[in-house]
Amino acid sequence: MATAANEQSDQVPKDSNDNGRRNQVMVGDLPNTFLRVPTTEEIQDQMVKDSELARRIAQEEMSGYRQVRQPTRVVYTDRLFISVVEARLNKNYGMTRMDPFCCIRVNHTVYETETCHNGAKNPTWSRPISVMVSEPVDTVYLEIYDEGTISGNTKVAWTKITLPDSVKNGDTLDDWWPLSGGLGDEKEGKVHIIFSQKKYQQQLPAYNVTPNFPQLPPGTVTTAAAGLPVQQQPPVQPPPPSQPPAPIYTEEDIKQIKDLFPSNDEEVIKTVLEASRGNKNAAIDILLNMQ
């Protein structure tokens, strides 16, 4: 009896396990795609969908990568500000009132002010000029022109200004300078200019951490991370070695000319034939002139 009780107790968990397995079996109609081989169109459509999914994932990863804060470096730059305020000229050149403007040369760069229309002998300007100083500025050259529409621009006056060290140290220089021109040295009038130099702090990225992803056509690009094939580029074949050009004369040509000019060396005859591009008559004329 003890044995029968043990067998009965062993059968209880077995029946319960069978019932649990039956409950896990899906009951009902099977889907239409069950055990069906997909067609070629369905495979291609699925590949396109997978490719678009991989593209969106790559774009999201790239956008998040670009939003990462990049390390920066601080760069200090010097800027020289030149404000040509006004000029007092002693003569109005031309039949009408002049339209003066200024050309300012700083090191190897030339800057221009706006044109003061009908400024005549008392032009004024309001636009300052900002110069990024990459090398020390010791001298500034200024020229005043009368803007012409038909005959071109005419130089009226000029001056040379030497900047003191105080401007380089951050001080402002506000003064008048004499102008030279057709009336003589420092007799054309004077010009009012303001100089100031300041140091600016600028933050630049320490290095470029944004990856450069190639732009590829849709439907043909996949990524290895998505488990899709990657289109391989064929290797670039090196160009074939260039063949030397064929001679434009023959050994028979050399022999015929050698019979006419036995004292000349064959190398000389070859050189003459190459110069005459294989024309035997022209080569014979050249050799005759060489005798």
Side-chain angles (χ1 to χ4, degrees):
M1 294 181 61
T3 303
N6 292 335
E7 291 178 357
Q8 186 177 2
S9 62
D10 293 338
Q11 291 178 359
V12 172
K14 182 178 180 180
D15 295 339
S16 61
N17 291 336
D18 292 341
N19 294 331
R21 293 191 184 95
R22 292 191 185 94
N23 293 331
Q24 295 178 1
V25 176
M26 182 179 65
V27 179
D29 297 333
L30 295 175
N32 297 329
T33 59
F34 182 72
L35 296 180
R36 184 174 65 86
V37 178
T39 62
T40 304
E41 291 78 6
E42 292 175 347
I43 295 175
Q44 293 179 352
D45 183 64
Q46 185 63 34
M47 291 180 63
V48 172
K49 292 180 180 178
D50 294 342
S51 174
E52 294 297 332
L53 177 61
R55 180 184 299 277
R56 288 195 298 268
I57 294 175
Q59 290 178 351
E60 292 176 359
E61 292 179 354
M62 183 174 62
S63 61
Y65 189 58
R66 286 178 175 173
Q67 292 176 0
V68 176
R69 186 175 180 180
Q70 300 180 3
T72 58
R73 55 189 174 94
V74 178
V75 177
Y76 294 93
T77 58
D78 291 333
R79 286 191 174 273
L80 176 65
F81 294 92
I82 305 174
S83 298
V84 184
V85 182
E86 57 183 331
R88 296 291 179 262
L89 304 176
N90 294 331
K91 183 178 179 180
N92 182 86
Y93 292 89
M95 301 298 294
T96 60
R97 295 173 61 87
M98 294 189 301
D99 300 326
F101 69 95
C102 298
C103 286
I104 304 168
R105 181 163 66 89
V106 181
N107 291 338
H108 305 291
T109 308
V110 178
Y111 304 87
E112 291 186 2
T113 64
E114 75 275 16
T115 301
C116 181
H117 296 283
N118 296 324
K121 296 191 298 182
N122 300 304
T124 59
W125 301 277
S126 59
R127 186 179 66 192
I129 297 173
S130 175
V131 180
M132 187 174 66
V133 180
S134 58
E135 55 183 310
V137 179
D138 299 324
T139 306
V140 175
Y141 297 88
L142 180 137
E143 296 176 342
I144 300 178
Y145 286 85
D146 177 22
E147 186 180 59
T149 56
I150 299 176
S151 59
N153 302 327
T154 303
K155 185 163 67 171
V156 175
W158 58 87
T159 187
K160 174 183 176 181
I161 303 171
T162 302
L163 296 181
D165 294 336
S166 59
V167 175
K168 303 175 185 179
N169 295 330
D171 295 340
T172 300
L173 178 61
D174 186 347
D175 203 350
W176 291 80
W177 281 267
L179 294 170
S180 301
L183 300 179
D185 293 340
E186 299 185 356
K187 295 181 179 180
E188 198 65 47
K190 57 184 180 179
V191 60
H192 181 200
I193 309 177
I194 301 174
F195 293 94
S196 63
Q197 184 168 323
K198 298 181 180 179
K199 187 181 295 291
Y200 286 87
Q201 177 180 337
Q202 185 178 7
Q203 290 188 352
L204 299 176
Y207 48 85
N208 186 13
V209 297
T210 302
N212 185 15
F213 290 98
Q215 298 295 329
L216 299 175
T220 60
V221 181
T222 58
T223 57
L228 299 176
V230 179
Q231 184 177 1
Q232 300 291 335
Q233 297 294 334
V236 179
Q237 298 294 336
S242 59
Q243 299 294 334
I248 53 180
Y249 55 85
T250 62
E251 294 294 334
E252 184 66 23
D253 297 335
I254 298 174
K255 182 179 179 181
Q256 293 177 0
I257 298 177
K258 179 67 175 177
D259 294 340
L260 297 175
F261 302 94
S263 61
N264 290 335
D265 189 67
E266 288 189 4
E267 294 299 329
V268 176
I269 297 175
K270 291 180 181 180
T271 304
V272 174
L273 282 172
E274 291 176 358
S276 60
R277 302 188 62 80
N279 191 333
K280 290 191 294 184
N281 294 329
I284 292 172
D285 293 338
I286 295 174
L287 291 172
L288 288 174
N289 293 328
M290 294 171 59
Q291 299 300 322

